[in-house]
Amino acid sequence: EIVPRSARQGYLVTKIMATDEDSGQNARIFYQMLKSTDPTLFTVTKNSGEIRTARRILQTDTPVHTLVILVKDNGQPSLSSTVTMNIRVFENSTEGITESSTLVENP
């Protein structure tokens, strides 16, 4: 994922999507951040899986962040999995789009 350095607090970086084959309350899915390069920079919404900036990105922040997110259901027993995300901070959105396009065109 790519986020511009100009992103302010609350900027939506991405949304994790997960499904469960159960129905009713057992199918409810919850998200929790287990690890983060900088725990003060990103948050994950427990019920929606949205990853947002928790604060403005500073010039002193590292340009690459790794997040490990736990995804679990509400079943008994509860089943879970983790997802690891790498988030890159770019100086401006044009730089991020160019980089992303290059990655798609030349796998």
Side-chain angles (χ1 to χ4, degrees), residues 43-54:
T43 61
V44 62
T45 306
K46 180 180 179 176
N47 294 315
S48 70
E50 291 180 344
I51 296 177
R52 295 184 176 269
T53 54

Side-chain angles (χ1 to χ4, degrees), residues 52-90:
R52 295 184 176 269
T53 54
R55 61 171 173 78
R56 186 180 181 113
I57 299 172
L58 306 173
Q59 288 295 328
T60 55
D61 287 325
T62 182
V64 178
H65 297 267
T66 301
L67 310 179
V68 178
I69 310 295
L70 174 70
V71 181
K72 64 181 179 177
D73 71 3
N74 200 36
Q76 293 297 328
S78 179
L79 301 177
S80 65
S81 186
T82 59
V83 61
T84 300
M85 300 188 60
N86 291 310
I87 299 174
R88 296 184 60 141
V89 177
F90 285 95

Side-chain angles (χ1 to χ4, degrees), residues 14 54 70 100:
T14 192
L70 174 70
S100 179

Side-chain angles (χ1 to χ4, degrees), residues 3 7 16 22-24 42-43 48-49 51 71 87 92 94-96 101:
V3 62
I16 300 170
D22 288 337
S23 61
F42 298 100
T43 61
S48 70
I51 296 177
V71 181
I87 299 174
N92 60 53
T94 305
E95 181 182 352
S101 296

